[in-house]
Amino acid sequence: LGFWSPSTLQGCVHQRSSFPSSLPWGSIFWLEALCVASAIQFAARSPHPPACLAVFTDSLDTVQIFDSLRTVSTYNPILRFSCDLLIHSSISLRVFHVAATENIVADALSRSLFAIAAREQPLLKLYTFMPP
């Protein structure tokens, strides 16, 4: 999992190996949704949370659940957690689709290709995070 903030030049990465094996790892969709929830948490817990947050993902399914606020039961905890954060922090969210080839830094972070992320954003500071 990986995401970054262009405004703060902070990259956040997490290695899946520390998750319990019971989580639905068979679905990249679940990981993409979890990564969006993690980005929301990052923004909401920042010293100065933004009024508006734009998140870019290469997963059309993830864009759809955050746009419609509807999903299958497996993803409800992620969606509920995200909505609670947005409500309590007064952040307005918009999730956009972008091709992975156009979201080079986030794609590199999610694949632990840190040299590529650093080449694209030389001032990027990397941190580890624990997803919600």
Side-chain angles (χ1 to χ4, degrees):
L1 296 176
F3 64 90
W4 75 295
S5 168
S7 63
T8 63
L9 290 175
Q10 293 177 301
C12 299
V13 294
H14 179 77
Q15 301 302 318
R16 293 187 331 182
S17 60
S18 65
F19 282 119
S21 60
S22 62
L23 294 177
W25 291 117
S27 173
I28 189 68
F29 174 31
W30 192 86
L31 293 172
E32 294 278 356
L34 183 62
C35 198
V36 170
S38 298
I40 294 167
Q41 182 178 48
F42 173 83
R45 293 186 177 168
S46 70
H48 304 286
C52 299
L53 178 63
V55 175
F56 295 86
T57 178
D58 62 357
S59 168
L60 286 170
D61 291 330
T62 300
V63 171
Q64 180 60 34
I65 68 165
F66 282 94
D67 184 49
S68 67
L69 299 180
R70 286 181 284 161
T71 189
V72 295
S73 61
T74 304
Y75 303 95
N76 277 336
I78 294 172
L79 200 52
R80 279 193 214 124
F81 173 82
S82 299
C83 288
D84 285 345
L85 276 176
L86 294 167
I87 290 167
H88 294 308
S89 59
S90 299
I91 294 175
S92 177
L93 174 72
R94 181 78 191 269
V95 179
F96 296 95
H97 181 261
V98 63
T101 56
E102 295 177 25
N103 202 6
I104 297 168
V105 175
D107 190 58
L109 293 176
S110 70
R111 298 171 190 271
S112 299
L113 300 173
F114 306 124
I116 294 172
R119 185 185 69 223
E120 293 295 317
Q121 287 294 327
L123 299 178
L124 187 67
K125 297 176 236 72
L126 294 180
Y127 301 92
T128 58
F129 76 96
M130 178 62 70

